[in-house]
Amino acid sequence: MNYIGEHLLPGQIGHFFAILSFMASLLATIAFFKASRKNIPADQEPWLKLGRIAFLIETISVVLLFVVLYYIISNHLFEYKYAYTHSDKSLQIEYLLSCFWEGQEGSFMLWSFWHCVLGWIIIWKGGKWESGVLYVISFAQFFIASMLIGIYFFGSKVGISPFALLRNEMDAPIFSRPEYLQFIKDGTGLNILLQNYWMVIHPPILFLGFASTIVPFAYAFAGLMKNDHSWIKPSLPWAAFSTAILGTGIMMGAAWAYESLSFGGYWAWDPVENASLVPWLTLVAGLHTNLIYKNSGYSLRPTYFFYIISFTLILYSSFLTKSGILGDTSVHAFTDLGLNAQLLLFILVFFIPAMVLYFIRYKSIPSIQKEEQTYSREFWMFIGSLVLFLSGMVIIAKTSTPVWNKLFGTKIAPPEDPEFAHNQIQIFVVVIIGLLTAITQYLKYKDTPKSVFWKKIAIPTVIALLITIPISIWGDISYVKKGPGFLAAIHLAIFTSVYSVVANISYLWLGLKGKIKAAGASVAHIGFGLVLVGILISSSKKTVLSWNTTGVTPLKVTEGEKGNAAGSPAENLTLFKNIATDMGKYMVTYTMDTTNPRDRKRYFEIDFKANNGDERFQLYPDVIKNNKGMDGFAANPASKHYWNKDIFVYVTSFQENKGSDTVSFKNREVKVKDTLFYSNGLMILNNVGVNPPAQQSKFKQDETALFLDITVISKEGKQYKIYPGIALKGQELRSIPDTVISQSLILKFNKVLDQSSGKLEIGVKESESITDLITLKVYEFPMINILWIGIVVMVVGLVMSIIQRVKLNKKTGLKTA
């Protein structure tokens, strides 16, 4: 059948370059491997040239894959499944790149692209390690390329092609018609959670971090193959680079979660978050044991192990997120596209040979038999590295529960409170690592005189205590939800984190004598300490401001029990449009809302006025309609940033009343001092006034008016004054109803039934259509900026370390790659 309107050429070009990338990466692997097995440079050169040419073809192919797929997406060629399932015509141009990494195919392409970039730096600077490192990278490229070819070998499909046609991947009656494209008006769109600027920049940085972990691994593997351990020095800047980039990528994800997700924070111990954090922990461990070996000769064996396990954990995290196994436990995971066998093979093909080679070479790896001195830097650095590794193993074990269930047929349920399940262990990791980060730099390699150590560490210790004690006493650290033991651990962790910051700042002068160029490690440790302080204070002092004071909520009690964004209805304040509501520290008013046709988001203007002082500001949280077959709306938070806190706001529900009011008034007889009941409380008629001055704006001078003075009391004890009335002019009678919007209550004064007995008739109507309302959740995050500042400082310190190591290697005549 000849299909009408299809653009087949872009897909054919893309598929060609996918196959070419696959073949070129295999050729590059073989060529670089052959070169690495030659000892004479003249024998290496032909294989190196061939490897470089193949790697160039591979790089060009990967770049052109991006170009072709971008063309398909940006031109809305919905005959291709990738464009149909990840984009639509209304998508803003700045989010077109996000379409790449919404799908697994695009994320593999991004990973492959960064391998190409890193590979060319190795070719440029690699020296004698070029071939050994490049055949490992090229072999990884071969596996990644296999994920993108989407062809059948012996009846089994290998990979998933981003250039697959929709009609070949989806079964629907319209595909039996040659003009089926006429019926496909639009794509299903980009997931609304990815329509955020952080998701344009976070995945590329994170995947650069993922990709970069292969370089220390490749150095270690090449060292094992050659039984040559001189790779330690050139790998050190790479390990620092990978630590900095992967850490930055992870925390960019935290910033995205903070700005875009409505769980009220930046870290939720989500399995996908954990899967990226654990390789970073083991990589940091490897970086420190690398330094130990370089300076003391100890810990080479652990360095090999940590670099091997870090890259393996990257592959394992890819399996967790792309296999669909986390579908029920993480909102970030991909669905299963049939790549599970390939993903498992990807892990095993790298992990098993590396570990077999590691154990074969284990005895020949240099190791000093003499025990380290307890007052030596290397001893406590190794302890810290071991703690980081064990911390990572605990996290990944908990995260892998779905894997254990699938492998062994068990039914282990995830913890009821996943945050506390991790926090109750990791809080003690923070205590240990904070303490070690503070004291270790004051120790020298090999050994340190005790008197010298205690003399230098005494001043930072006293300063840290003087800072921490006021925080503990007057800082209102009152996180008592998990008991006094956990609260005590928080206070201890705050001390060790502050200690880490103070001790490393002091070391700049006490240890380094102000030599800033050599201070990369200290600056990174200062940043790390600030991150810990920011996490501890902002999390333990996170306060709900939006306690429901109105007694009105459209949320069901059971909703809070399902772990949704609203949580407990008691923590969600109901706001009626244009009615100021007391929220403790602030009077809050929902003033207006508007829909932006460009980003299709509905923005709510929320006015905050401080109850104490003149401060006033507006915040604009928004909601956007879910796509991809999901009902309802997703909320995007808004924040007011201060130097010492954030006010964090998001909409948990909204109610707009555009429909006609079909509820009728119910007439009730009443006399002064009588009490009437309505569904949410009662009302008392206090008095009847004739032409009351307070109501004169509601009637004309030539009218005689009667107004009822009624007090409405809700079940929650809230009181409202309401004044329905009538105005009489000659034979004309005009009703003047009054409303208690927050109670959805309308009253009108109908008539006087019996003047002598004071019997009156009023109409009572309870109608949900009289107002627009929203429910709002508001948090206060104290000192959260310490966290963000700490991340920047830590990365700056790591960059300083990289520069220092590169310069040092140049001085010794050693190429850094």
Side-chain angles (χ1 to χ4, degrees):
M1 182 184 297
N2 292 320
Y3 291 95
I4 299 170
E6 287 187 333
H7 301 79
L8 299 180
L9 182 60
Q12 292 167 347
I13 294 172
H15 190 63
F16 168 77
F17 283 112
I19 300 294
L20 186 60
S21 170
F22 176 72
M23 299 304 297
S25 58
L26 179 60
L27 179 60
T29 301
I30 295 169
F32 284 124
F33 178 78
K34 285 283 190 180
S36 73
R37 306 308 294 165
K38 305 292 182 182
N39 295 319
I40 302 171
D43 294 337
Q44 286 183 341
E45 196 59 33
W47 289 110
L48 280 175
K49 284 183 179 178
L50 179 61
R52 290 167 185 166
I53 291 169
F55 199 78
L56 176 63
I57 294 170
E58 178 186 337
T59 303
I60 292 170
S61 298
V62 170
V63 171
L64 289 175
L65 282 175
F66 264 100
V67 171
V68 172
L69 190 57
Y70 184 82
Y71 175 83
I72 288 171
I73 292 170
S74 61
N75 285 278
H76 309 301
L77 303 183
F78 296 134
E79 56 265 46
Y80 292 97
K81 183 186 176 184
Y82 206 84
Y84 176 76
T85 54
H86 301 301
S87 69
D88 58 44
K89 292 177 181 177
S90 63
L91 189 66
Q92 295 141 265
I93 191 168
E94 60 265 33
Y95 296 141
L96 286 176
L97 283 176
S98 297
C99 298
F100 278 88
W101 26 91
E102 188 191 29
Q104 294 195 35
E105 304 95 317
S107 64
F108 281 125
M109 288 167 59
L110 185 59
W111 194 351
S112 181
F113 171 79
W114 285 126
H115 274 171
C116 291
V117 172
L118 297 171
W120 283 106
I121 297 173
I122 298 291
I123 290 171
W124 176 36
K125 292 284 188 178
K128 73 170 188 176
W129 293 102
E130 176 191 343
S131 58
V133 173
L134 258 297
Y135 79 74
V136 176
I137 293 177
S138 295
F139 194 43
Q141 287 287 79
F142 170 73
F143 266 90
I144 293 172
S146 74
M147 308 286 183
L148 299 171
I149 54 177
I151 60 177
Y152 285 87
F153 282 104
F154 305 106
S156 298
K157 190 176 182 181
V158 177
I160 43 174
S161 174
F163 307 104
L165 291 169
L166 184 63
R167 58 179 164 86
N168 292 335
E169 301 294 318
M170 188 180 291
D171 188 20
I174 63 167
F175 298 123
S176 62
R177 305 179 63 165
E179 74 282 9
Y180 76 90
L181 279 174
Q182 295 179 13
F183 303 99
I184 300 177
K185 303 299 181 184
D186 209 350
T188 59
L190 177 68
N191 189 307
I192 56 171
L193 295 178
L194 303 185
Q195 295 181 36
N196 178 278
Y197 67 95
W198 279 115
M199 291 310 291
V200 179
I201 57 177
H202 155 60
I205 300 299
L206 184 66
F207 270 91
L208 174 56
F210 284 171
S212 65
T213 60
I214 198 174
V215 180
F217 170 85
Y219 270 110
F221 191 84
L224 289 171
M225 287 289 289
K226 294 182 177 183
N227 207 15
D228 179 354
H229 313 295
S230 62
W231 62 272
I232 280 288
K233 286 185 179 179
S235 71
L236 199 50
W238 280 107
F241 170 79
S242 188
T243 301
I245 292 296
L246 183 56
T248 302
I250 291 168
M251 294 316 296
M252 279 184 168
W256 164 70
Y258 183 67
E259 287 199 11
S260 299
L261 301 183
S262 53
F263 64 80
Y266 44 82
W267 194 266
W269 292 110
D270 180 272
V272 172
E273 295 172 343
N274 299 346
S276 60
L277 174 65
V278 173
W280 184 82
L281 292 174
T282 56
L283 188 62
V284 172
L287 174 62
H288 283 82
T289 54
N290 195 333
L291 285 166
I292 291 171
Y293 177 72
K294 180 182 174 295
N295 290 284
S296 71
Y298 287 98
S299 296
L300 180 56
R301 288 171 178 171
T303 303
Y304 271 107
F305 176 76
F306 287 143
Y307 285 161
I308 290 169
I309 206 69
S310 294
F311 179 62
T312 304
L313 284 166
I314 288 291
L315 300 181
Y316 181 62
S317 74
S318 183
F319 168 76
L320 286 178
T321 56
K322 298 180 190 302
S323 64
I325 204 164
L326 296 179
D328 295 331
T329 57
S330 174
V331 297
H332 305 298
F334 291 103
T335 55
D336 180 13
L337 293 182
L339 294 176
N340 291 12
Q342 282 180 261
L343 291 167
L344 276 173
L345 190 62
F346 197 4
I347 299 169
L348 297 175
V349 162
F350 281 86
F351 177 65
I352 291 176
M355 290 308 296
V356 168
L357 200 54
Y358 174 68
F359 287 117
I360 290 171
R361 303 284 196 202
Y362 187 81
K363 289 185 178 180
S364 65
I365 297 172
S367 177
I368 299 173
Q369 299 304 314
K370 182 184 175 184
E371 295 273 337
E372 300 101 320
Q373 297 293 322
T374 52
Y375 274 79
S376 68
R377 183 181 292 189
E378 62 268 25
F379 177 79
W380 292 107
M381 282 176 70
F382 177 74
I383 294 298
S385 298
L386 189 60
V387 169
L388 287 173
F389 169 71
L390 293 174
S391 167
M393 292 305 98
V394 171
I395 295 169
I396 205 67
K398 289 179 179 290
T399 302
S400 300
T401 300
V403 179
W404 314 139
N405 287 340
K406 192 162 188 177
L407 283 177
F408 304 112
T410 55
K411 295 182 180 180
I412 304 170
E416 191 173 327
D417 185 350
E419 287 190 28
F420 184 64
H422 287 284
N423 289 341
Q424 64 183 336
I425 297 171
Q426 300 307 321
I427 189 72
F428 296 104
V429 173
V430 171
V431 171
I432 297 169
I433 294 299
L435 182 63
L436 294 179
T437 306
I439 66 172
T440 302
Q441 289 205 89
Y442 287 85
L443 296 165
K444 294 180 180 179
Y445 287 105
K446 308 293 187 183
D447 198 9
T448 310
K450 295 179 183 179
S451 59
V452 173
F453 169 74
W454 289 111
K455 183 179 178 181
K456 286 186 175 181
I457 202 67
I459 294 174
T461 304
V462 172
I463 294 172
L465 283 169
L466 291 174
I467 293 172
T468 307
I469 289 171
I471 293 175
S472 292
I473 295 174
W474 296 293
D476 193 28
I477 308 294
S478 54
Y479 188 86
V480 295
K481 289 191 290 186
K482 300 301 178 182
F486 190 67
L487 179 60
I490 290 174
H491 283 283
L492 185 58
I494 289 173
F495 164 70
T496 60
S497 302
V498 170
Y499 193 18
S500 172
V501 175
V502 171
N504 279 280
I505 291 174
S506 301
Y507 187 76
L508 295 176
W509 284 270
L510 297 175
L512 297 174
K513 310 299 181 186
K515 297 175 184 176
I516 299 299
K517 289 183 179 179
S522 293
V523 173
H525 290 157
I526 290 167
F528 182 69
L530 288 170
V531 168
L532 296 181
V533 172
I535 290 171
L536 288 165
I537 294 179
S538 66
S539 299
S540 62
K541 285 175 60 64
K542 183 174 81 170
T543 306
V544 175
L545 300 183
S546 53
W547 292 104
N548 189 357
T549 57
T550 65
V552 178
T553 178
L555 300 173
K556 296 178 181 178
V557 176
T558 53
E559 288 182 10
E561 298 167 359
K562 296 177 183 176
N564 65 13
S568 169
E571 296 179 353
N572 294 262
L573 181 66
T574 302
L575 299 180
F576 297 89
K577 198 168 187 178
N578 296 318
I579 294 179
T581 304
D582 192 347
M583 198 181 70
K585 292 184 179 181
Y586 302 94
M587 289 297 293
V588 186
T589 310
Y590 157 36
T591 56
M592 61 176 291
D593 58 82
T594 183
T595 300
N596 184 335
R598 184 170 184 270
D599 60 14
R600 306 173 312 286
K601 292 179 180 179
R602 182 172 182 172
Y603 292 87
F604 297 86
E605 183 178 85
I606 314 297
D607 182 76
F608 287 75
K609 185 180 184 303
N611 282 327
N612 297 320
D614 299 326
E615 183 191 13
R616 191 166 198 157
F617 60 90
Q618 287 77 40
L619 288 176
Y620 299 89
D622 67 82
V623 297
I624 183 171
K625 186 172 176 55
N626 281 318
N627 57 5
K628 297 186 178 292
M630 295 186 292
D631 296 327
F633 290 78
N636 291 300
S639 299
K640 171 70 174 174
H641 303 290
Y642 297 86
W643 71 270
N644 63 337
K645 65 181 179 183
D646 274 8
I647 304 297
F648 179 92
V649 179
Y650 60 95
V651 174
T652 52
S653 74
F654 66 96
Q655 182 175 299
E656 183 181 27
N657 295 299
K658 291 183 176 179
S660 57
D661 184 4
T662 58
V663 180
S664 58
F665 282 94
K666 294 181 179 179
N667 296 329
R668 311 280 290 275
E669 292 184 7
V670 65
K671 293 191 293 185
V672 174
K673 303 304 181 183
D674 277 358
T675 299
L676 298 176
F677 291 92
Y678 71 105
S679 64
N680 195 51
L682 57 87
M683 53 191 117
I684 302 170
L685 175 57
N686 303 309
N687 200 2
V688 181
V690 180
N691 293 342
Q695 305 298 327
Q696 63 183 12
S697 62
K698 298 181 180 179
F699 60 90
K700 300 173 184 176
Q701 289 184 351
D702 58 352
E703 290 180 322
T704 300
L706 289 177
F707 280 89
L708 309 183
D709 178 348
I710 297 175
T711 300
V712 175
I713 305 174
S714 72
K715 289 178 181 176
E716 296 76 27
K718 290 286 183 180
Q719 294 192 13
Y720 309 89
K721 298 294 286 186
I722 186 170
Y723 301 94
I726 54 173
L728 184 65
K729 180 182 178 182
Q731 298 298 316
E732 295 180 9
L733 184 68
R734 182 169 61 88
S735 178
I736 308 171
D738 202 357
T739 304
V740 183
I741 293 176
S742 64
Q743 298 293 300
S744 301
L745 184 65
I746 307 172
L747 298 183
K748 71 174 182 176
F749 182 4
N750 291 338
K751 58 187 176 182
V752 177
L753 294 176
D754 188 340
Q755 189 170 353
S756 61
S757 63
K759 191 178 292 185
L760 312 172
E761 182 183 272
I762 64 171
V764 180
K765 180 163 74 169
E766 296 181 65
S767 174
E768 296 292 339
S769 64
I770 64 173
T771 184
D772 296 344
L773 63 85
I774 63 172
T775 57
L776 203 66
K777 194 152 192 178
V778 185
Y779 288 108
E780 182 177 282
F781 281 99
M783 297 299 174
I784 193 172
N785 288 326
I786 295 176
L787 166 63
W788 309 124
I789 292 168
I791 293 164
V792 174
V793 173
M794 183 170 65
V795 172
V796 168
L798 285 165
V799 170
M800 290 170 63
S801 295
I802 294 167
I803 293 169
Q804 182 191 3
R805 295 295 167 190
V806 168
K807 287 182 177 179
L808 240 138
N809 287 347
K810 280 185 177 179
K811 282 184 181 179
T812 58
L814 185 69
K815 290 197 175 183
T816 58

